[in-house]
Amino acid sequence: MGTKWRRAVLEGALLCLLFFVIFGPISSLVIWSIAIRWYWPHVLPQEIGLAYWKQALGLQRDWAIAAVSIWGAFGTSMLVALVATALVMTMAIPAGYALARYRVPLKALILLLFLMPKAFPQQPIFVNLLPTFTRWGLAGTVQGVILIHILVCLIFGVWITTSAFKAIPQELEEAARSVGATRWRTFWKVLLPLAAPGLLVSTVFVFITSLTEFTGTFFIGLPFVTTLPMLLYSSSGYNMQFASVIAIVLLIPSLLFMVLIQRVFRPEYMGGIAG
Amino acid sequence: MPKVRLERVTKRYGKVTAVDCLDLTVHEGEILTLLGPSGCGKTTTLRCIAGFVVLDEGHIFLGEEEVTHLPPEKRDIGFVFQNYALWPHMTVYQNLSFGLQLRRIPKEEIRERVQEVLSMVRLSGMEDRYPRQLSGGQQQRVALARALALRPRVLLLDEPLSNLDAKLREEMRFEIRELQRQLGITAIYVTHDQAEALVLSDRIAVLNEGRLVQLGTPEEIYQRPANRFVAGFIGLSSFIEARVTEVEAEMAVLETEDGLHFRVPRDALVEGQAVTLAVRPEHVEVLGGPSGDLENAFQAEVVRAAYLGDSVDCRLRLGKWELRTQLLPGKIPAPGEVLWIYLPPEKLILIPG
């Protein structure tokens, strides 16, 4: 009886801890986003309400509430992220396949090259790029921001797709060729379905990275392109309520993708690949 | 009639020549085995025929048609892989019907042909299983059925049994042989397992270092190996180096450095010629006692003996040479014991050099 009880208590405690670790930070965001008045030393806000949410979502305009409609920035963010993701994956899928399958000269160097934008401090790179972008008329434009996002995201696209294709035994392709499938049909019928989980992970990574990218957008996009992260950074110091609202909005796509991945990952055929 | 013809096929990987100017003809309806140690070029040769590997030099013909530059999907071949290579995201039925659908065969006929090949490999009723739900042996049978369903011009098998356990492997050898005969299909089979090659093949092509070393029926290869490599690779052989000292009407006498004399059939031996004798374990006869004046009888010392259940594997010392032999179980000789042995002249294999 005693051990059973102890075990139940321990399990309960562990669950609570886990719950807290996962939802603790998010719950703080939620509380901040609905706090109208919250002064020290109170543990919880003295006054709560949806004023910041309403204002952020463009449902009201009140000069006393320090928040603006986020729809413009949201639209820009989505546009940039979707276009950047589509372009990155269009490049990454063939590149990943080639790097996984063919003897590409200087393969290690090429893979390293993709890492470069991430391996160096970002600010000097972007500052250095700014004059070039200005000369090309890309500074302060959505196109310029998309380009800079591609630069930042390409590493996730190429590295993850490369390993996704590498995980598929070459014989599976050759078997398809031997029964009469062309290269193209083999790609669609054998390679793509088997690589899909890896490609999806890669797409999600790229999309989330683009959606939350700040540094490059800041240098290249100012002052005309405003994305959600820019809005978030500019309000985070003094306006926790508005910042929390944006932070929660930025979380939504990730949560949606989690659900999507759960549906797409089909363990019954994933198991067969290794064997 | 030649079904597959290789002409001076050469493939290099960097500085390594995997296949070196190989000429080979496979006849209609026969099963030919490419046999050799790993790295001998047998798999590369097979992959050249399939079109997975592009040749550096040479030509490949299937029937009358030159296929050297055709992509694999246009060659009309069936390929069975060592690791089965079944598509894990497709059921057995989908695996078998994929190639048929590509050929735009009507649905009804596809259904019939899938049923037909499935019953051939004794897997009827497994259509809706996924590959991972099948055992290794079943997966390999599906892979075989997938290749057969297309009724290809030639069936290529790349060590298809080496991932299976020993007992299953032995069963499958006969099964593949039986199917190949029933269907009358031309097949090229790659293996490094000499026992498999002997059981399965109409003819065996022994490869070493990218070159064809010997081509012949299993009996020819086993009984008259062309050189020391073949004699050592196929079956067990002990080697004794000697020189021809005397040539008579029907027999010749060989002498080793340490003064042993052997009488062998004369064949085409010339006095003074260097010869290697290959002795198969089963050709060493153990005598009950001293031989009198019998030729080719020797006293040999037991080096060690290992009990194998159905026989005893025994290493003997004969002069400076080591002989391996198989004895009947029962009396296991102790190391150091001296036995009288007899080497029948007609059973000794002579290899020039």
Side-chain angles (χ1 to χ4, degrees), chain A residues 172 174 177 179 185 268, chain B residues 47 73 87 102-103 132:
Chain A
L172 294 183
E174 288 170 349
R177 302 293 298 280
V179 302
R185 201 178 280 268
E268 66 262 27
Chain B
R47 292 170 59 79
E73 65 267 25
W87 301 301
L102 292 172
R103 282 165 175 68
R132 60 178 182 90

Side-chain angles (χ1 to χ4, degrees), chain B residues 262-275:
Chain B
F262 298 87
R263 282 178 78 79
V264 297
R266 183 185 153 179
D267 278 343
L269 297 176
V270 186
E271 224 177 285
Q273 185 186 354
V275 166

Side-chain angles (χ1 to χ4, degrees), chain B residues 333-351:
Chain B
E337 201 176 313
V338 174
L339 300 175
W340 278 93
I341 58 166
Y342 170 63
L343 305 175
E346 71 282 0
K347 298 277 177 65
L348 292 173
I349 299 163
L350 293 172
I351 299 162

Side-chain angles (χ1 to χ4, degrees), chain B residues 29-238:
Chain B
E30 82 169 332
I31 180 163
L32 179 128
T33 299
L34 301 177
L35 175 65
S38 63
C40 74
K42 55 191 191 298
T43 292
T44 307
T45 306
L46 198 73
R47 292 170 59 79
C48 284
I49 301 171
F52 301 146
V53 171
V54 179
L55 313 188
D56 290 323
E57 282 163 45
H59 304 273
I60 297 176
F61 297 88
L62 294 185
E64 296 298 304
E65 187 192 3
E66 170 155 18
V67 298
T68 316
H69 302 291
L70 284 184
E73 65 267 25
K74 294 208 173 127
R75 295 194 180 196
D76 193 17
I77 46 112
F79 203 103
V80 181
F81 295 85
Q82 181 174 359
N83 61 3
Y84 325 136
L86 297 176
W87 301 301
H89 59 304
M90 298 186 195
T91 61
V92 169
Y93 186 87
Q94 289 165 335
N95 265 281
L96 296 184
S97 59
F98 182 56
L100 296 167
Q101 281 166 5
L102 292 172
R103 282 165 175 68
R104 302 190 188 286
I105 290 169
K107 261 210 167 86
E108 265 315 296
E109 200 190 328
I110 291 180
R111 192 163 293 279
E112 277 168 29
R113 275 169 75 166
V114 169
Q115 296 305 341
E116 186 188 281
V117 286
L118 269 182
S119 73
M120 265 186 224
V121 297
R122 299 186 288 114
L123 284 177
S124 299
M126 300 281 192
E127 293 87 339
D128 297 329
R129 303 276 184 98
Y130 280 92
R132 60 178 182 90
Q133 296 171 310
L134 303 175
S135 70
Q138 288 172 329
Q139 288 189 37
Q140 193 52 291
R141 292 221 286 276
V142 174
L144 186 63
R146 178 174 67 184
L148 291 174
L150 299 164
R151 297 173 187 161
R153 288 196 277 197
V154 52
L155 181 64
L156 308 174
L157 305 110
D158 184 12
E159 309 219 15
L161 305 183
S162 59
N163 280 3
L164 304 177
D165 62 68
K167 205 170 161 64
L168 193 56
R169 192 157 55 209
E170 217 160 295
E171 276 170 38
M172 289 285 292
R173 278 176 201 165
F174 291 106
E175 217 167 296
I176 289 180
R177 178 65 169 147
E178 201 51 42
L179 265 177
Q180 182 268 334
R181 253 193 214 145
Q182 270 175 29
L183 300 172
I185 195 170
T186 312
I188 304 178
Y189 191 104
V190 161
T191 183
H192 63 268
D193 181 339
Q194 41 124 351
E196 208 166 283
L198 292 172
V199 169
L200 268 170
S201 321
D202 289 313
R203 289 192 301 154
I204 297 175
V206 184
L207 300 184
N208 190 30
E209 292 174 348
R211 296 217 179 119
L212 182 62
V213 184
Q214 191 175 4
L215 177 65
T217 63
E219 292 84 357
E220 283 166 2
I221 300 271
Y222 190 82
Q223 289 167 7
R224 291 195 295 282
N227 60 27
R228 197 168 164 154
F229 170 79
V230 178
F233 190 74
I234 293 139
L236 282 170
S237 291
S238 311

